[in-house]
């Protein structure tokens, strides 16, 4: 549910509840676009949450227009950046530059939770991601969500 808070001549502020955001499992894991163009009217990027159970991964892809900030809340994730593997643990972050292929994998025995932010936005949502390996769940892409 979208909650709009207005006051005077200011623009509407939109609060989004985590459990009310649709899940996207297209590339693997459980991803939610928490704050983005579709649910808040954002114009500069989008922020989301990902959860990877042990053995789960987000398939390799890159962003032709956006850099991606990844901040791990809990667990440890292996991020492969243009073939180089880097382990990132809880309370650590990493920047994925524009056009760098990346894949995230949970090789541990605990779930991984992380926050990600991409910006700037691609000119159109379908140009935002380029897959470089087969996606695990092509049938799970919600309509209108960034891919």
């Amino acid at each position: 549910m979208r909650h709009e808070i207005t006051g005077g001549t200011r623009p509407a502020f939109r609060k989004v509840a985590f459990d009310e955001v649709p899940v996207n499992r297209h590339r693997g894991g459980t991803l939610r676009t928490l704050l983005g163009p579709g649910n808040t009217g954002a114009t500069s990027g989008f922020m989301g949450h990902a959860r990877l159970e042990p053995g789960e991964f987000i398939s390799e892809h890159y962003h032709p227009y956006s850099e991606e900030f990844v901040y791990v809340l809990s667990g440890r994730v292996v991020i492969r950046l243009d073939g180089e593997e880097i382990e990132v643990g809880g309370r650590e972050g990493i920047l994925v530059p524009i056009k760098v292929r990346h894949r995230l994998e949970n090789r541990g025995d605990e779930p991984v939770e992380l926050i990600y932010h991409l910006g700037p936005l691609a000119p159109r949502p379908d140009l935002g991601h380029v897959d470089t390996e087969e996606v695990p769940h092509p049938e799970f892409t919600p309509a209108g969500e960034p891919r």
Side-chain angles (χ1 to χ4, degrees):
M1 172 183 282
R2 183 185 301 176
H3 303 277
E4 294 196 17
I5 303 165
T6 59
T9 59
R10 294 186 309 184
F13 300 106
R14 295 181 180 114
K15 180 174 79 171
V16 178
F18 180 87
D19 291 332
E20 295 172 353
V21 174
V23 170
N24 180 345
R25 294 189 49 80
H26 178 70
R27 284 188 177 79
T30 302
L31 287 80
R32 287 180 164 90
T33 301
L34 300 174
L35 303 170
N39 62 358
T40 67
T43 60
S44 64
F46 64 91
M47 185 188 83
H49 174 273
R51 180 180 174 97
L52 297 172
E53 297 296 332
E56 283 190 314
F57 64 91
I58 297 172
S59 60
E60 187 182 82
H61 61 282
Y62 68 91
H63 310 284
Y65 297 93
S66 309
E67 57 188 6
E68 182 170 0
F69 300 85
V70 176
Y71 183 78
V72 178
L73 299 168
S74 62
R76 301 192 73 71
V77 66
V78 174
I79 301 179
R80 188 172 67 206
L81 301 166
D82 278 346
E84 180 181 344
E85 292 188 352
I86 300 171
E87 187 173 83
V88 182
R91 300 182 65 145
E92 294 181 330
I94 192 163
L95 170 67
V96 179
I98 293 171
K99 297 182 182 176
V100 169
R101 293 175 295 116
H102 54 287
R103 182 183 206 271
L104 290 77
E105 184 177 353
N106 181 354
R107 295 183 184 166
D109 55 4
E110 302 176 8
V112 171
E113 291 201 47
L114 59 89
I115 297 291
Y116 59 90
H117 177 271
L118 281 85
L121 292 172
R124 297 189 327 249
D126 61 313
L127 299 176
H129 290 78
V130 176
D131 293 306
T132 53
E133 77 173 310
E134 188 173 330
V135 296
H137 304 292
E139 71 278 12
F140 288 148
T141 303
E145 286 295 310
R147 296 175 191 248

